[in-house]
């Protein structure tokens, strides 16, 4: 009873943060930094420096960062340079986190436990202390920073001809946000003010966008899969939830996604050419492929009996065009049947496992060392090769770390997923009895699930007298929420109102 009274005095952010801390602790993650970490942090007062003549000076280039509106842990910068002929030269700078976070130090050991930052709308639990990730090791605007640069040369059609990796000094000219850049690229808004203040940055961003779209088209021609995953995010006014909305995968997000995929592929090739083990990010060929084939048959679409990413992408593209309303639910089913990604320690091979979803054979995580520990490992391996030193990790070390990173990433994602449910339950807590339009998003042995459209929230369908098929449109009433557990229960309304809702939604769809 006392605990219940205590919660009544918590703000939305405080209540959700309390839930997140409990969930992280249960799943073996550390939400707080230890005394030893704080002691080490006191000894770090300025960004990393290096007077090695081999470190290039690229500070004059028009580098910029594009990330979320609220991101302060800036891991990468991008710029294009003139190329001889009709090709493209792309440079991606990655924050040299290792220059401040030494292997085996207290900060490094904390990062190795959690293996990644945990992102919830109420609070971010950073892998590295904010003094580093948001400041001294972040590629912040107006600051000189050490970085690892991956320089890639592409043909006019977007094929990598050659790539180089080296250390360099860089300088971020403008910190930009996905939504503002995307709106400008699509002619919906003016160029963000911070970009207007940098001479020629408008042309630079358009050039980057043009290259990204070429890479994107080439990747999808190879069979890269494009899903629309249901991952709504809460926004706050002060400490109270103001709204919940689905994040759009817009043109600027596509730009950064393409450049990061290309960079991860080139870093993977770099370490392969060096002949050393590295940690790869893989998504294996689906063992449950025949279940995906059976699912496609339900939509009167034939897939081959052997895993084929190109055929699957064609099916997904067709379903997206024909039924965008239900596509997120189909995406989730197929993602679950494909299985999740994992980290492995892999030696150079002619037949790497690869990433089935991205349709690439060589792939690793290297572009976010402020946020992910495998990227720090990759950074250290690359720097050892550049310096002509032995790898800083043994093969057994890498195998153990890969397994640990996979397990901890799964734990972190479960915390984030649980918090999204708790956010939704908290937002809807005051709306008990209200009626919403929705679609049946899933049916299993535990019951039926409904996804309502506004706000974009999923919950369980209870008190249903008949079985509902996935994809059926209906009107439901909210009858129960439980914030701590993230439970949301809806009940269907009478047939007349259901039919009215179906007609209303079909008009909205254009059907």
């Amino acid at each position: 009873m006392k605990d219940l009274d205590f919660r009544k005095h918590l703000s939305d952010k405080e209540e959700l943060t309390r839930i997140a801390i409990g969930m992280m602790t249960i799943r073996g993650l550390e939400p707080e930094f230890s005394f030893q970490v704080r002691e080490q942090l006191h000894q770090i007062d300025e960004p990393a420096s290096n007077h090695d003549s081999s470190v290039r000076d690229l500070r004059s280039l028009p580098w910029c960062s594009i990330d979320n509106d609220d991101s302060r842990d800036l891991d990468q910068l991008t710029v294009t340079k003139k190329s001889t002929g009709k090709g493209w030269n792309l440079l991606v700078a990655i924050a040299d986190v290792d220059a401040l976070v030494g292997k085996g130090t207290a900060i490094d050991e904390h990062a190795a436990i959690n293996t990644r930052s945990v992102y919830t709308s109420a609070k971010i639990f950073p892998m590295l202390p904010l003094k580093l990730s948001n400041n001294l090791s972040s590629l912040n605007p107006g600051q000189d920073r050490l970085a690892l640069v991956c320089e890639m040369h592409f043909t006019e059609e977007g094929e990598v001809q050659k790539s180089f990796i080296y250390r360099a000094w860089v300088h971020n000219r403008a910190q930009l946000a996905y939504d503002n850049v995307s709106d400008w690229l699509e002619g919906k808004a003016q160029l963000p003010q911070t970009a207007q203040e940098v001479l020629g940055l408008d042309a630079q961003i358009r050039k980057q966008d043009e290259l990204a779209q070429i890479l994107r088209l080439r990747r999808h021609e190879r069979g890269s899969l494009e899903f629309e995953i249901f991952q709504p995010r809460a926004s706050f006014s002060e400490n109270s939830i103001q709204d919940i909305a689905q994040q759009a995968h817009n043109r600027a997000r596509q730009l950064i996604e393409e450049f990061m995929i290309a960079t991860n592929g080139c870093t993977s090739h770099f370490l392969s050419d060096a002949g050393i083990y590295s940690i790869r990010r893989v998504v294996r060929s689906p063992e449950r492929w025949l279940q995906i084939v059976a699912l496609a048959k339900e939509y009167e679409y034939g897939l081959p009996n052997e895993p084929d990413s190109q055929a699957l992408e064609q099916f997904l593209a067709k379903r997206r065009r024909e039924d965008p309303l239900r596509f997120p639910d189909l995406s989730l089913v197929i993602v679950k049947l494909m299985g999740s990604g994992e980290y492995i320690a892999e030696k150079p091979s002619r037949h790497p496992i690869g990433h089935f979803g991205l349709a690439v054979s060589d792939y690793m995580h290297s572009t976010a060392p402020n946020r992910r520990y495998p990227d720090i490992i990759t950074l250290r391996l690359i720097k050892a090769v550049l310096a002509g030193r032995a790898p800083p990790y043994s093969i057994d070390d890498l195998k153990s770390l890969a397994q640990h990173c996979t397990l901890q990433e799964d734990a972190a994602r479960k915390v984030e997923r649980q918090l999204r449910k708790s956010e939704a339950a908290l937002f809807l807590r005051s709306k008990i009895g209200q009626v919403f339009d929705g679609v049946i998003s899933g049916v299993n042995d535990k019951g039926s699930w409904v996804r309502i459209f506004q706000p974009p929230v999923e919950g369980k369908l209870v008190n249903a007298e008949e079985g509902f098929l996935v994809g059926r449109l209906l009107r439901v009433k909210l009858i129960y929420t439980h914030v701590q557990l993230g439970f949301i229960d809806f009940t269907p309304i009478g047939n007349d109102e259901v039919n009215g809702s179906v007609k209303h939604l079909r008009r909205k769809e254009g059907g």
Side-chain angles (χ1 to χ4, degrees):
M1 194 68 178
K2 287 183 179 179
D3 186 51
L4 201 58
D5 292 337
F6 169 71
R7 290 183 196 175
K8 289 179 180 178
H9 296 91
L10 294 176
S11 69
D12 290 352
K13 274 194 174 181
E14 288 170 335
E15 187 170 357
L16 291 169
T17 298
R18 187 169 178 265
I19 293 170
I21 290 173
M23 290 295 299
M24 288 181 68
T25 303
I26 289 171
R27 296 196 175 277
L29 302 169
E30 294 189 356
E32 305 292 341
F33 293 104
S34 67
F35 170 79
Q36 290 80 5
V37 168
R38 295 193 297 271
E39 282 292 296
Q40 182 186 351
L41 199 60
H42 286 318
Q43 309 303 316
I44 305 174
D45 293 319
E46 56 186 24
S49 61
N50 190 294
H51 304 290
D52 190 332
S53 61
S54 67
V55 179
R56 304 187 191 185
D57 188 352
L58 302 182
R59 288 174 289 185
S60 63
L61 295 178
W63 298 98
C64 69
S65 61
I66 308 177
D67 213 312
N68 290 310
D69 290 335
D70 56 354
S71 290
R72 299 294 178 267
D73 49 351
L74 305 180
D75 281 300
Q76 65 270 329
L77 308 177
T78 57
V79 69
T80 56
K81 289 172 57 179
K82 287 185 178 180
S83 171
T84 55
K86 296 182 179 180
W88 305 82
N89 286 1
L90 169 67
L91 279 68
V92 175
I94 309 299
D96 189 353
V97 173
D98 173 65
L100 282 178
V101 181
K103 180 176 177 286
T105 62
I107 295 175
D108 181 61
E109 288 177 354
H110 175 89
I113 290 171
N114 284 5
T115 75
R116 53 161 281 186
S117 297
V118 178
Y119 292 90
T120 76
S121 61
K123 180 177 179 177
I124 295 172
F125 297 88
M127 181 184 76
L128 300 175
L130 294 180
K131 182 180 179 181
L132 300 184
S133 61
N134 284 13
N135 185 7
L136 300 180
S137 63
S138 175
L139 300 178
N140 288 347
Q143 302 294 321
D144 294 342
R145 290 288 189 264
L146 276 174
L148 207 64
V149 172
C150 182
E151 179 176 336
M152 293 162 278
H153 295 209
F154 298 91
T155 64
E156 188 177 8
E157 294 77 25
E159 181 181 357
V160 178
Q161 288 182 306
K162 55 186 177 181
S163 63
F164 311 93
I165 296 180
Y166 47 83
R167 302 184 71 191
W169 285 102
V170 297
H171 188 100
N172 186 355
R173 301 289 166 184
Q175 180 180 352
L176 306 174
Y178 289 128
D179 293 346
N180 291 340
V181 171
S182 184
D183 286 346
W184 173 69
L185 286 170
E186 295 176 356
K188 299 176 183 177
Q190 288 187 331
L191 182 69
Q193 184 62 36
T194 50
Q196 291 183 34
E197 295 171 358
V198 181
L199 182 65
L201 192 55
D202 53 347
Q204 171 67 216
I205 297 171
R206 287 204 183 279
K207 193 182 299 183
Q208 291 189 34
D209 173 64
E210 186 180 353
L211 172 59
Q213 292 303 314
I214 291 172
L215 297 178
R216 182 176 177 79
L217 177 62
R218 181 177 178 84
R219 191 163 58 85
H220 284 289
E221 286 175 347
R222 293 198 308 266
S224 180
L225 307 178
E226 185 166 355
F227 299 103
E228 185 177 325
I229 303 301
F230 182 66
Q231 286 188 338
R233 183 181 181 185
S235 57
F236 288 78
S237 175
E238 298 297 331
N239 290 318
S240 299
I241 293 183
Q242 188 73 17
D243 194 15
I244 292 181
Q246 175 77 355
Q247 285 188 316
H249 190 65
N250 58 37
R251 198 172 181 99
R253 290 180 185 276
Q254 292 172 0
L255 185 157
I256 295 301
E257 180 180 82
E258 294 306 323
F259 289 177
M260 297 310 103
I261 291 172
T263 303
N264 286 326
C266 288
T267 55
S268 178
H269 283 297
F270 177 87
L271 291 176
S272 290
D273 291 344
I276 63 172
Y277 267 78
S278 60
I279 289 186
R280 303 295 184 98
R281 178 68 178 177
V282 303
V283 173
R284 300 174 188 272
S285 183
E287 292 182 0
R288 292 182 287 181
W289 175 258
L290 292 180
Q291 288 179 250
I292 297 176
V293 173
L295 178 64
K297 281 183 180 178
E298 295 178 13
Y299 295 92
E300 299 181 350
Y301 193 95
L303 288 174
N305 288 330
E306 295 296 325
D308 186 325
S309 61
Q310 286 184 318
L312 181 55
E313 170 54 23
Q314 290 167 7
F315 167 63
L316 290 170
K318 184 173 186 292
R319 294 310 306 163
R320 181 192 291 272
R321 290 193 305 271
E322 295 179 354
D323 195 355
L325 184 71
R326 299 172 180 82
F327 187 69
D329 307 311
L330 175 65
S331 293
L332 182 59
V333 172
I334 292 181
V335 166
K336 287 180 176 178
L337 288 174
M338 283 179 56
S340 58
E342 62 183 298
Y343 294 104
I344 66 166
E346 192 171 59
K347 64 180 179 180
S349 167
R350 293 183 180 179
H351 304 288
I353 295 173
H355 194 298
F356 182 85
L358 296 176
V360 292
S361 57
D362 294 284
Y363 188 73
M364 61 175 33
H365 277 166
S366 65
T367 58
N370 276 304
R371 315 178 193 192
R372 288 187 308 234
Y373 196 67
D375 304 56
I376 294 181
I377 296 170
T378 297
L379 184 62
R380 289 171 177 157
L381 291 171
I382 290 173
K383 287 173 68 175
V385 172
L386 291 175
R389 299 192 306 264
Y393 300 94
S394 69
I395 295 172
D396 287 340
D397 287 340
L398 290 175
K399 288 180 178 179
S400 177
L401 283 165
Q403 184 179 35
H404 174 71
C405 288
T406 298
L407 292 173
Q408 294 301 80
E409 179 182 75
D410 181 61
R413 286 185 172 176
K414 285 177 179 175
V415 171
E416 292 170 345
R417 188 162 57 243
Q418 174 63 42
L419 264 293
R420 285 195 295 270
K421 293 178 181 178
S422 291
E423 291 162 5
L426 182 56
F427 184 63
L428 291 177
R429 185 165 59 183
S430 62
K431 306 181 190 302
I432 301 293
Q434 292 188 20
V435 174
F436 303 88
D437 292 325
V439 59
I440 298 297
S441 57
V443 177
N444 56 35
D445 55 0
K446 296 180 181 179
S448 300
W449 306 88
V450 60
R451 174 170 58 85
I452 62 172
F453 303 121
Q454 196 56 251
V457 167
E458 188 176 55
K460 191 172 185 179
L461 193 65
V462 299
N463 302 329
E465 296 181 357
E466 61 175 298
F468 290 102
L469 297 177
V470 172
R472 175 170 172 176
L473 299 169
L474 75 167
R475 181 162 286 186
V476 295
K477 180 190 290 186
L478 177 66
I479 62 171
Y480 175 75
T481 67
H482 192 298
V483 177
Q484 180 77 24
L485 300 176
F487 289 169
I488 301 171
D489 288 352
F490 297 98
T491 187
I493 301 188
N495 287 334
D496 290 341
E497 291 174 279
V498 171
N499 293 335
S501 175
V502 170
K503 293 176 182 176
H504 168 67
L505 284 165
R506 281 179 178 158
R507 281 197 297 273
K508 285 171 68 177
E509 294 174 59

